[in-house]
Amino acid sequence: MTLAQVRRKTERIREFSAVPFLLVALVSVAGAVFRAAPQAVTGGPINAGDVAWMLTATGLVLLMTPGLSFFYGGMVRTKNVVSTMLQSFVAMGVISMLWILVGFSLAFGDSFHGLIGNPLTYFMFTRVGASTHPDLAPTIPLILFALFQLKFAIITPALITGSFAERVRFSSYLLFMCLFSVFVYSPLAHWTWHPDGFLHKLGVLDFAGGTVVHMSAGFAALAGAMTLGRRRTHQAREAHTPANIPFVILGTGMLWFGWFGFNAGSALSASGQAAMAFATTNTASAAAALAWIFFDRMRGQKPSALGACVGAVVGLVAITPAAGYVSIGESMFIGTCASVVSNLMVHWKNASTLDDTLDVFPCHGVGGMVGMLMTGLFAKDVGLTSGHGWTFLVHCGALVFVAAFSFCGSWMLYKLTNVIIPLRVSDEQEDIGLDLSQHGEVMQETVLVSLDAAPLAKTA
């Protein structure tokens, strides 16, 4: 099939109708006419130092999503760089709107038996003001807490995209992202981080999102890779050549930098715990990066820039749930252990028929599980090494439960999405690349010259 025929076929499909714009317009109009109620529950005085730090941390966490776009974008083929980067970037728009509308309420609204928040508690950010909240934000404005948590909600679905890169339809991804945020991420956040969440009450410790963010994204990625199936190039056993390793290095640097806000910011104060989380975050990532390339070298491979970057991210993932609860030395052990385990999982995945394009499950899913178990093992005063077995046992049980919920819930959402909008692009669109077939754009103009054709009409 020629490029012109693919263009005509794509135009007939018309992946986007007027519905998405009308939804955005409807929410915008609702924002203009809705009169938000003042904050009903207030706490003590605001701490200016905490506010300054949390504003900084919130910005740092937001930076991680563009960093992720470079990290993922550099690892795919040249014809899919723009689409892969956009899948991360667009989450900042979609989830920001959804979080204000209902997401924050579901995650942190008045608890319904520890299972989910009341969607009306903070609908359209009503009762989210500049005063403190005694439970959620004791020393900072509630609006700042809500925005800090928003950045976590943004990056979680963006992490998933690496598993089905190079073959997912853009419009179906947008739909899945909304469904995942409402039905998987928000309940997990409520269970784990809300004071009345049932996992929180059981004693599950997740300082900054090892369970809520990385395990949920990792198992959703596994479900996505299985649901969408293998790429044509993967079936043909063609070598995968990353488009731009410097992009990967840049993205890793942005992620590492932003992760200080991710972890240290989760102390919700400018405190000693924040400083310790900052230190453990850096140490775990450093140890994991070195462990990855030296482990590769021991197995007879060359130490690669890509391996160092992936290892660093795995260390960041693994220390996330434990960052504020463990010592510097323990964080070094956590980073090294997670790096080796994830490295072995990547090799296992490569030997299988599973097509997780950018190894999201071996790195984020497995790294999150290692971090969760290590938290139960080393957590100060309550971990197994402190003579308390309950926390470790609870973490083992919660790991199984969260893994099952994230995988099964995401699998059902993929199936639902596929009924509404087909998840996978056509073979012709996949061969041409998602940059052209989904967005009518390319990373380099030379690609257009080589194809000897103008870009496809922007129908996605």
Side-chain angles (χ1 to χ4, degrees):
M1 182 177 289
T2 66
L3 185 61
Q5 289 174 320
V6 173
R7 185 187 298 115
R8 288 194 295 271
K9 183 176 181 179
T10 306
E11 288 173 347
R12 289 196 300 269
I13 292 176
R14 291 292 180 186
E15 295 178 22
F16 269 115
S17 65
V19 174
F21 173 76
L22 292 176
L23 288 175
V24 174
L26 181 63
V27 174
S28 300
V29 171
V33 301
F34 183 77
R35 290 294 173 260
Q39 188 172 330
V41 180
T42 59
I46 287 177
N47 183 300
D50 291 349
V51 173
W53 163 236
M54 290 307 299
L55 285 169
T56 303
T58 301
L60 287 171
V61 181
L62 181 64
L63 182 67
M64 293 172 65
T65 300
L68 182 69
S69 72
F70 277 101
F71 183 71
Y72 279 172
M75 286 195 282
V76 296
R77 290 177 173 82
T78 303
K79 62 185 179 181
N80 296 307
V81 172
V82 175
S83 64
T84 301
M85 296 184 73
L86 180 60
Q87 286 167 14
S88 293
F89 190 83
V90 76
M92 294 194 291
V94 174
I95 302 301
S96 291
M97 297 281 281
L98 190 61
W99 192 250
I100 291 171
L101 183 67
V102 73
F104 183 58
S105 294
L106 293 173
F108 294 99
D110 296 337
S111 185
F112 178 76
H113 301 298
L115 299 176
I116 197 66
N118 184 345
L120 300 179
T121 305
Y122 302 117
F123 176 76
M124 292 296 293
F125 264 28
T126 186
R127 292 180 285 276
V128 179
S131 299
T132 62
H133 188 284
D135 298 319
L136 302 178
T139 63
I140 62 174
L142 181 59
I143 182 66
L144 179 54
F145 173 80
L147 292 174
F148 179 68
Q149 292 295 337
L150 163 63
K151 312 312 176 186
F152 288 72
I154 287 172
I155 198 171
T156 305
L159 290 170
I160 303 170
T161 62
S163 68
F164 46 62
E166 301 191 328
R167 59 197 187 277
V168 70
R169 196 180 302 273
F170 183 65
S171 52
S172 60
Y173 161 64
L174 295 181
L175 175 59
F176 172 79
M177 175 167 44
C178 294
L179 295 173
F180 174 85
S181 183
V182 170
F183 294 106
V184 177
Y185 179 83
S186 291
L188 276 173
H190 187 83
W191 300 344
T192 309
W193 286 334
H194 193 282
D196 294 325
F198 82 92
L199 289 181
H200 181 82
K201 286 188 171 182
L202 284 173
V204 172
L205 301 174
D206 186 2
F207 190 74
T211 303
V212 179
V213 176
H214 296 291
M215 277 189 62
S216 69
F219 279 95
L222 178 61
M226 295 172 65
T227 303
L228 272 80
R230 302 166 66 187
R231 290 164 294 162
R232 287 160 59 81
T233 54
H234 191 268
Q235 293 172 344
R237 298 188 178 276
E238 296 180 14
H240 181 93
T241 303
N244 195 318
I245 297 298
F247 269 19
V248 181
I249 297 174
L250 173 62
T252 304
M254 294 172 68
L255 284 168
W256 196 330
F257 180 64
W259 223 292
F260 293 129
F262 199 82
N263 286 358
S266 293
L268 299 180
S269 62
S271 61
Q273 188 181 42
M276 285 298 296
F278 197 109
T280 56
T281 298
N282 189 76
T283 304
S285 186
L290 294 177
W292 191 287
I293 59 174
F294 294 152
F295 189 71
D296 276 349
R297 181 61 178 163
M298 186 177 70
R299 291 164 60 91
Q301 301 176 25
K302 292 182 178 180
S304 65
L306 186 62
C309 290
V310 172
V313 171
V314 168
L316 293 166
V317 169
I319 195 59
T320 292
Y325 305 129
V326 299
S327 68
I328 306 298
E330 290 164 346
S331 71
M332 192 180 303
F333 176 81
I334 291 171
T336 300
C337 182
S339 183
V340 172
V341 173
S342 290
N343 188 300
L344 291 172
M345 285 297 297
V346 168
H347 285 288
W348 171 83
K349 186 227 67 170
N350 289 338
S352 72
T353 57
L354 178 67
D355 188 12
D356 180 348
T357 312
L358 304 182
D359 299 329
V360 181
F361 175 71
C363 295
H364 290 274
V366 174
M369 287 191 287
V370 171
M372 188 178 186
L373 292 177
M374 292 295 179
T375 304
L377 183 65
F378 291 120
K380 184 179 179 182
D381 298 330
V382 296
L384 188 61
T385 56
S386 299
H388 299 277
W390 173 251
T391 300
F392 184 75
L393 290 175
V394 166
H395 276 227
C396 291
L399 184 150
V400 175
F401 177 77
V402 170
F405 172 77
S406 299
F407 178 83
C408 296
S410 298
W411 184 83
M412 288 188 289
L413 294 179
Y414 283 119
K415 293 297 183 181
L416 175 60
T417 301
N418 193 55
V419 170
I420 301 172
I421 308 173
L423 279 167
R424 186 159 177 163
V425 298
S426 67
D427 290 347
E428 294 83 0
Q429 290 173 323
E430 184 179 341
D431 290 340
I432 289 173
L434 271 59
D435 290 357
L436 274 174
S437 67
Q438 297 294 289
H439 308 291
E441 298 173 312
V442 291
M443 179 181 174
Q444 296 173 328
E445 189 175 354
T446 53
V447 175
L448 288 178
V449 174
S450 66
L451 288 173
D452 193 26
L456 289 171
K458 295 184 180 180
T459 59

